[in-house]
Every structure is written in structure tokens, then in C-alpha cells.
Amino acid sequence: MAYNSPALNVMTAAARKAGRPLVRDFNELENLQISMKGPADFVTHADKRTEHILIEELSKARPGYGFLGEEGGVVEGKDATHRFIIDPIDGTTNFMHGVPHFAISIGLEREGKLIAGVVYNPVTDDLYTAEKGHGAYLNNRRLRVAGRKDLPQSLIATGLPWLGREDGMNRAMVETAAVLGATSGIRRFGSASLDMAFVAAGRFDGFWERGLYPWDVAAGIVLVREAGGVVSDMDGGADMLTGGSLLTSNEHLHPQLLKLLKEAGA
Ligand code: 2AM
Ligand code: CA
């Protein structure tokens, strides 16, 4: 059984509560006959409502904690030591296309250090939780990163640029080619928080992406660390929460991936 602190229970309850109407929206979206503008508006509404429920539930249980959210930005709290970092729908494009691979992501910071994380896919009901010093779990089952030591046997996830984010396109292509030529393959599933949860669960051997925001990765960082993984930015430094790039893997493959991506010359 997972050890759940009161704070982690609060985060889990908020994710589950916000997840229920989100699943209803997701099912409705599949059947909906909407105008071209419709789906985007519908998803924006679902996104905002989900963030609203999360903030409401979390601040009811922890009044005074601050927030950093994808929709709402920074909300200063009276308690300057604690902050929730939340993404109401991580994997919005999947959500919009009826692909059941998206998550609610909630990280908790104390004095600038990440101490707990929840990543919840409400469609599959997969709940990933982690707390500093207490391990990472999927639905109460303890998680451990994969033990593979060699790149040729490894399966690596990434995220790639899209329309409107072409600035990093060439670099992403060069890095992707380098990893494709050195591993068993790449997966691009479209939700950074779930990619990190999958690394924690030992499904993916590693994950890297550029252009990420704190709410994409806050909870995932705690998950992979507590599952025994290594997380850094793509220069090998510790600026992965706010620096915009992230590389995570096990202790054997992390340095190899870092070197491979650097040598890709991007
Ligand atoms: P989001 O769904 O919360 O926006 C995957 O590459 C990461 O990039 C996801 O965590 C996703 O977070 C973000 N992202 C933002 N816009 C995207 C888009 N149009 N297509 C794919 N990913 C996007
Ligand atoms: Ca996101």
C-alpha cells in the first residue's frame, strides 16, 4: 500500500473529483456534432472548468497555498512556502481527438522544492502518485523505473513541435534521428505528464522534450525520482522545472542519452 500523507490525499481527491465531469465531456465530444470552431471552444471550456474544480478543492483543504496553473497562471497564496502546480488537461490535443491519453497533473512545492505529485488519467482511471521519500505508485502498486542498461534495447518517448511551434522543428528532427538510430524506437504519445509516469512505471526507458512548462512536468518529476529515476534538463543541469527542457531515464541510460542528444549537435 502507498503511504499517503494528508496533502497527497487532498491532491488525489481533487484529481478524482475534477476527473468525473472531464470523462463526461470526453465521451460527449466523441458524439458531438459541432462546428469547426466548436471542438476547440468545448475543450477550452472543459480545461477551464477542470482547473476551477482543482483550485476550489485544493484551496478548500489547504487555504493559503499558492497556485501555478496552465490556465490561471500564478496565484499568490498567504502561505508563501507552499504552491500547487497544476495542469487541468495535459494532452489537450489527444482529448480533442477522442484519444483517451491525457491527464490531470498536480505537483506540490514546499519552499521551492517539489515534494508530491499526482498524475491521473480519468478515462483509464490510472492514478499515479508520489511523495518525496515515500516512493511512486500506480493505483497503490509500487513503481520502479526499468533496469535496462543499453540503448539498443530501450524504448524512448519524446514530444515534437507542431503547427505554431515550428521554431524547434529542426533541432527536434536531428535529436529524434539520433535516438531512432540508437534505440529500439521512439513513442510520441502527446502528454508529457503521462510520458513521465510511464518512465516511472518502467514502460518507457526514457523521455525527453523541449518547450515544456512547469505544469507539464512538476508532478512527473516527483514520480520518476521516487521510482528511482534520474531527471535533469537537457544540459544535464537541474533547471528542468522552469528551464523548458527535460530528460529523464534510469541511472544507466540517462548519461548515455544526454551524450547522444548533445552529440546530435542540436
Ligand atoms: P497540453 O496538452 O497541456 O498543452 C506534448 O508534446 C506536450 O506538449 C503535452 O504535455 C502538451 O500539453 C503540450 N502541447 C501543447 N500544445 C500542443 C499541441 N498542439 N500538440 C501537442 N502537444 C501540445
Ligand atoms: Ca500540459
Side-chain angles (χ1 to χ4, degrees):
M1 265 314 255
Y3 163 80
N4 282 1
S5 73
L8 194 66
N9 282 331
V10 162
M11 292 157 68
T12 300
R16 287 195 186 280
K17 181 153 188 182
R20 281 190 288 272
L22 194 56
V23 171
R24 285 199 292 275
D25 284 345
F26 179 72
N27 292 332
E28 202 176 322
L29 195 61
E30 284 188 317
N31 308 320
L32 228 50
Q33 297 290 328
I34 17 189
S35 67
M36 284 305 282
K37 186 167 162 278
D41 283 354
F42 186 84
V43 173
T44 305
H45 178 75
D47 218 11
K48 290 209 162 109
R49 201 222 22 242
T50 305
E51 185 159 306
H52 179 78
I53 297 172
L54 292 175
I55 292 178
E56 197 171 64
E57 290 302 306
L58 294 169
S59 39
K60 223 190 292 172
R62 289 291 181 276
Y65 283 23
F67 286 92
L68 173 62
E70 171 150 35
E71 297 299 323
V74 177
V75 180
E76 301 283 350
K78 282 199 202 99
D79 175 348
T81 58
H82 289 89
R83 180 165 78 152
F84 291 113
I85 304 179
I86 58 177
D87 192 346
I89 309 178
D90 183 48
T92 321
T93 307
N94 286 340
F95 181 90
M96 199 179 306
H97 286 256
V99 178
H101 191 79
F102 57 90
I104 292 169
S105 173
I106 310 174
L108 176 60
E109 244 182 14
R110 182 190 293 147
E111 281 162 355
K113 291 202 164 49
L114 290 165
I115 56 164
V118 167
V119 173
Y120 179 53
N121 179 337
V123 180
T124 58
D125 199 29
D126 282 336
L127 179 76
Y128 299 86
T129 56
E131 200 144 16
K132 196 169 180 214
H134 293 285
Y137 294 82
L138 164 55
N139 298 331
N140 282 319
R141 183 171 60 83
R142 184 85 189 239
L143 298 179
R144 176 90 203 148
V145 292
R148 289 186 191 83
K149 295 189 164 93
D150 302 310
L151 286 175
Q153 280 77 49
S154 66
L155 183 64
I156 308 297
T158 189
L160 298 170
W162 53 88
L163 181 66
R165 285 278 296 274
E166 298 88 342
D167 46 320
M169 201 76 86
N170 288 340
R171 188 184 224 183
M173 289 301 138
V174 170
E175 289 177 347
T176 298
V179 175
L180 284 174
T183 62
S184 288
I186 286 185
R187 298 292 179 267
R188 197 274 193 244
F189 284 4
S191 166
S193 64
L194 283 174
D195 286 334
M196 297 181 77
F198 277 31
V199 172
R203 296 170 178 169
F204 293 148
D205 298 289
F207 164 68
W208 93 94
E209 186 166 350
R210 296 185 186 272
L212 293 169
Y213 292 96
W215 45 83
D216 298 320
V217 297
I221 290 171
V222 189
L223 282 171
V224 285
R225 277 184 179 153
E226 287 302 314
V230 180
V231 200
S232 74
D233 59 42
M234 288 186 63
D235 295 317
D239 198 14
M240 59 278 182
L241 183 67
T242 53
S245 79
L246 183 143
L247 169 66
T248 182
S249 187
N250 67 33
E251 61 183 320
H252 312 290
L253 294 173
H254 185 276
Q256 297 177 52
L257 283 166
L258 191 62
K259 184 161 174 273
L260 181 72
L261 289 163
K262 270 192 179 160
E263 284 175 1

